[in-house]
Amino acid sequence: QFLARVGGSSNAYTDSERTVYHFTCPQDSLRAALDIFAQFFISPLLHEEAGTRELKSIEEEFALRQNDDDCRLLELWRHTSRRGTPFSRFTCGNLSTLGGGLKNNDVFKNLREFHDKYYVGSNMRLVVQGVDSVDSLQAMVTELFRHVQGSPDVDTTPNFAKMGVPWRIGDPDTARKLENEGRVWREITRHDSSRDQLDVISPGVDGACLGCIF
């Protein structure tokens, strides 16, 4: 409501390894917006009725994705990835995965426990962009976010590096034979700039990006 009133916007998304919350607002509303934003992590309301609406929105998004070919391809990549890695998990939950078989009270009890365990300073990063000096922005952030829960005695930060690469790495000769037969594929997108070049290899048959089972 505040952001809408001042002409700002907000959104959020979750990918394989992180959840990102972001907003924009006019410069003269930055402090007030940051103050509200900080409370999301310090003392979120987590009202059951709001959570129920969000579950319904997630179910609707899940239904829309079922007929999207890009989403289907992504799920195929995930299905062929190694079990136990973040990439192997589903990309979009639904009512069944998020609350199936649980009473509302249990769903939100689990949500609160998740927040208390993982929403701690060591697991989060904050980026603020504004016209003020870095010192001024830092002072404002330090004041507004000083009550964010500190790091617990037990480290709850997931260590993705220890999980290894998402795709199975098989014999290169066999993989290339399958590629030549059209049973697996490799996509390379080249991004050219004045400073460097970067080859982005989609799941295929090169090293860690092997996206097939054999």
Side-chain angles (χ1 to χ4, degrees):
Q1 292 178 349
F2 174 81
L3 289 175
R5 189 167 67 250
V6 300
S9 63
S10 65
N11 211 331
Y13 65 87
T14 297
D15 64 14
S16 299
E17 300 180 2
R18 63 185 60 83
T19 296
V20 177
Y21 306 89
H22 56 95
F23 72 88
T24 62
C25 69
Q27 177 63 32
D28 58 4
S29 300
L30 179 58
R31 182 182 179 85
L34 272 178
D35 191 12
I36 297 171
F37 188 65
Q39 298 307 311
F40 292 178
F41 311 102
I42 296 171
S43 182
L45 297 177
L46 297 180
H47 286 155
E48 289 191 15
E49 59 270 22
T52 300
R53 289 196 302 271
E54 182 63 20
L55 285 174
K56 291 180 179 178
S57 297
I58 292 172
E59 177 69 19
E60 292 172 359
E61 181 180 348
F62 175 79
L64 289 173
R65 291 170 62 96
Q66 289 181 312
N67 295 320
D68 186 301
D69 286 342
D70 289 337
C71 293
R72 287 175 170 178
L73 179 59
L74 179 57
E75 291 304 325
L76 177 61
W77 289 353
R78 289 178 178 274
H79 183 70
T80 60
S81 64
R82 289 176 49 245
R83 300 297 92 184
T85 61
F87 195 83
S88 68
R89 301 172 184 173
F90 55 77
T91 56
C92 180
N94 56 29
L95 282 176
S96 176
T97 61
L98 294 175
L102 294 176
K103 297 179 180 179
N104 266 1
N105 289 342
D106 293 330
V107 172
F108 296 104
K109 176 176 178 290
N110 292 345
L111 182 62
R112 175 67 69 176
E113 290 176 351
F114 184 91
H115 172 272
D116 292 344
K117 180 177 181 180
Y118 292 105
Y119 278 71
V120 296
S122 58
N123 288 348
M124 296 188 286
R125 302 293 182 270
L126 176 67
V127 177
V128 178
Q129 180 179 355
V131 300
D132 294 331
S133 68
V134 173
D135 289 342
S136 297
L137 291 174
Q138 182 175 355
M140 179 169 58
V141 166
T142 300
E143 177 187 352
L144 297 178
F145 289 81
R146 67 186 184 280
H147 293 305
V148 169
Q149 185 178 193
S151 300
D153 294 334
V154 178
D155 186 12
T156 62
T157 305
N159 189 330
F160 299 115
K162 291 183 178 180
M163 298 180 183
V165 296
W167 282 278
R168 300 165 177 82
I169 301 178
D171 174 65
D173 292 335
T174 303
R176 284 177 174 77
K177 180 177 181 293
L178 292 174
E179 182 188 29
N180 292 335
E181 294 173 356
R183 294 166 62 185
V184 295
W185 70 96
R186 172 175 53 180
E187 296 177 359
I188 300 179
T189 303
R190 184 170 296 260
H191 300 277
D192 294 320
S193 70
S194 59
R195 297 185 59 184
D196 55 21
Q197 290 184 342
L198 173 64
D199 286 343
V200 180
I201 305 176
S202 297
V205 298
D206 274 6
C209 287
L210 186 64
C212 62
I213 305 173
F214 54 86

